[in-house]
Amino acid sequence: MISVIIPVYNAGTYLIPLVQSVLGQTYSDLEVILIDDGSKDGSGVVCDGLAQADARVRVFHKENGGQSTARNLGLEEARGELIAFADHDDVLHPKLYETLKQAMEQTGANVGACQFENTPNERIPELDYTKPILPWETVPQQEIIHRFFTPAWHIPVWNKLYRREVVDGIHFHGAMLGEDNLFSYRVLKRCEFLAFCPSVLYFQRMHGNNFEFTGLRCMVDLIQAKETILRDIRSAFPCEYPEAQVKFLYECVRIYNLYAKSGNPEFEPQRQQVLSILRDHACGLLRAPMPAGHKLKFWRLRLFGQRPELGKIQL
């Protein structure tokens, strides 16, 4: 059985289409675990109605504590041998779990993953599920570590299927942003390889309420999660550390500049936090695969505390 864990907080009209896309999977031996995380818009009542309509839906209500605490509760309550996650406002291809389960069985992988797509809200009703599903492939652990700081399919948790034993004992930390990064990395360390289907089988619905559009105040959480991963890569995968460090520094610059571009004084503490992290890691760059001019600018930040002109870091 597959346990699909779905945190729910003020889901509005998005929850029912998501749950329908889960219950409508071609692989039907599953349970849907809805964690109502203290919703204030009636989503909890919708959850209860979905459970009454289909015995495969189980609902748990809790005080608001964030997506991580909701997912952790779902992990505790899950009964399935396989574990999956979904966000309450997304949509699944009907063959998502059948495809990933087959890929895992045929390759022996503990994790199956697929490509995903950020889809504008208005395009969701027009999704085409008739395209042939591409053959899966195996991706070794080292290759994923090599590109871990590059945004791609290996970071999120909702485009994957996990064997229970590979996630046992791993929990989501309490950050508002970046919890997927740490969870995925810790699971990956337990896997020699993953099974990957390059077809788009998970659709992340893009709309005005998406966390991606409102999460600027929490970007420091993302950087801190990635910093934790970077420190572990240094000891666990030392050959990958120099390039991982470079990618991490560029990510810090990107987020620093987002704060600077906002011009919002409310974000000044976060901007300074990111600058401090940049300074802490702008060392050991002599052998890093980075242009010399960029190394010099990072060293200036490190050694002289040079403030970027106009609040932005220009590389």
Side-chain angles (χ1 to χ4, degrees), residues 116 144 147-160 162 180-185 226 229:
F116 66 91
I144 299 176
R147 57 186 183 183
F148 200 85
F149 290 108
T150 303
W153 59 266
H154 51 272
I155 298 296
V157 297
W158 30 252
N159 65 331
K160 295 180 178 62
Y162 304 91
D180 280 23
N181 290 256
L182 269 175
F183 187 92
S184 294
Y185 177 77
K226 291 189 174 186
I229 294 169

Side-chain angles (χ1 to χ4, degrees), residues 80-139:
E81 296 82 14
L82 298 168
I83 304 294
F85 300 93
D87 283 354
H88 69 223
D89 50 356
D90 296 338
V91 176
L92 281 56
H93 188 290
K95 291 187 176 181
L96 169 62
Y97 295 136
E98 177 187 359
T99 300
L100 296 188
K101 183 174 180 294
Q102 287 178 353
M104 292 165 67
E105 289 174 345
Q106 295 191 16
T107 63
N110 287 322
V111 179
C114 70
Q115 189 58 269
F116 66 91
E117 181 178 277
N118 297 329
T119 307
N121 192 39
E122 62 273 13
R123 283 189 52 208
I124 291 293
E126 303 170 1
L127 293 175
D128 181 8
Y129 300 130
T130 63
K131 298 178 182 178
I133 294 177
L134 300 172
W136 50 76
E137 56 195 61
T138 57
V139 184

Side-chain angles (χ1 to χ4, degrees), residues 235-256:
S235 58
F237 305 97
C239 292
E240 298 298 332
Y241 178 75
E243 187 163 343
Q245 181 191 32
V246 170
K247 292 176 181 176
F248 174 76
L249 287 170
Y250 281 130
E251 180 71 354
C252 286
V253 168
R254 183 184 73 83
I255 290 177
Y256 179 93

